[in-house]
Amino acid sequence: AAGVVILNFVELHGVHDFDFKVYSDRDLPRLRKVLRSQEIEIQIIKYRPKLSWLELHSSRAIRYFSPMVLSKFEAFGLLKDYKRVMWLDYDIVLRKPLTELLTKDSFDFAYQESEGSAAEGFHRPPDNLNQQQRGMSAHLFVLRDSFPDHETALDRLYQIFATHPDNFYFPEQAAIDILIGERDFSFFQLNVNKYNSLHEDADAY
């Protein structure tokens, strides 16, 4: 599925000026070979959360989904090496070029707001969470290295999750929601209907 998304992206944008990284819990030699046959080089990053076994598996959400959901935190860490990082989930279909997101310089963090409150990402909303804050949707987002204190963001996200792992309903999105509430940045709101379809959209395929 990740390979299909990369092919989808390359069809719209080509391969030049991009580094492709796939986070996985195992090596994917066949994927690397298939994409290389299309002249697409990828880096497979074997993901291991920076958390203890106890912190991970005390979370109902992690046991239900997978520790892999926390790999989205790593996008913030990539800002130490890149000026712009785009995260794409493996279950989306890009419908038109993302040129605006790849060239626009007037934002620090671009993402889609969810329909509900950020509080919906928790079993019990933390006391320090702004109840009026909209939640974020993490299947497609773009970060720029202008994001405030991006050097500390990755460690902060793991720290947020580790404070009460079992309280997270949507672990990665809810942790990022807390980070969003802590930092003052320039936000660009994505209209994902303009860019991509999710797997539940019947007309996406």
Side-chain angles (χ1 to χ4, degrees):
V4 170
V5 172
I6 291 173
L7 287 170
N8 185 189
F9 181 91
V10 168
E11 183 180 18
L12 293 169
H13 299 284
V15 297
H16 300 296
D17 300 322
F18 301 109
D19 289 341
F20 299 98
K21 300 178 186 291
V22 176
Y23 286 86
S24 175
D25 55 4
R26 54 196 168 89
D27 197 12
L28 301 169
R30 290 181 62 187
L31 175 61
R32 188 184 293 109
K33 182 178 179 180
V34 168
L35 291 177
R36 184 170 290 158
S37 73
Q38 303 297 311
E39 300 183 342
I40 304 169
E41 293 293 335
I42 64 171
Q43 179 184 2
I44 306 294
I45 300 174
K46 219 166 178 181
Y47 177 65
R48 295 290 182 271
K50 300 173 184 179
L51 296 163
S52 71
W53 182 92
L54 181 61
E55 288 168 328
L56 282 174
H57 292 277
S58 63
S59 167
R60 284 167 283 179
I62 294 298
R63 293 197 303 271
Y64 178 78
F65 293 111
S66 159
M68 285 301 305
V69 299
L70 302 182
S71 64
K72 295 180 185 182
F73 294 170
E74 299 295 321
F76 291 82
L78 290 174
L79 290 175
K80 71 180 185 296
D81 298 316
Y82 296 94
K83 291 186 175 298
R84 191 181 309 252
V85 174
M86 174 178 288
W87 178 276
L88 300 172
D89 268 359
Y90 63 85
D91 56 355
I92 64 176
V93 175
L94 301 177
R95 301 192 293 192
K96 63 177 294 184
L98 303 166
T99 307
E100 184 179 26
L101 302 180
L102 295 169
T103 60
K104 193 178 181 71
D105 290 334
S106 59
F107 69 87
D108 304 319
F109 191 7
Y111 60 88
Q112 177 196 10
E113 288 187 328
S114 64
E115 294 183 0
S117 164
E120 295 178 7
F122 303 88
H123 294 288
R124 187 181 68 257
D127 293 337
N128 62 337
L129 183 69
N130 178 358
Q131 298 296 312
Q132 305 304 313
Q133 180 181 328
R134 292 273 296 277
M136 69 92 66
S137 201
H139 55 279
L140 166 61
F141 62 83
V142 181
L143 287 158
R144 296 182 61 242
D145 64 356
S146 56
F147 185 79
D149 297 320
H150 66 80
E151 301 88 350
T152 66
L154 177 61
D155 288 341
R156 177 58 183 148
L157 285 166
Y158 283 112
Q159 181 186 55
I160 289 169
F161 178 80
T163 55
H164 193 173
D166 198 40
N167 190 36
F168 288 87
Y169 190 70
F170 298 121
E172 76 287 15
Q173 296 181 169
I176 295 174
D177 281 334
I178 290 181
L179 183 71
I180 286 170
E182 295 177 344
R183 308 213 174 176
D184 184 18
F185 60 92
S186 178
F187 166 53
F188 179 57
Q189 183 170 338
L190 297 187
N191 174 4
V192 292
N193 292 326
K194 179 178 177 182
Y195 299 111
N196 73 277
S197 290
L198 291 169
H199 57 87
E200 64 263 24
D201 296 336
D203 60 351
Y205 300 97

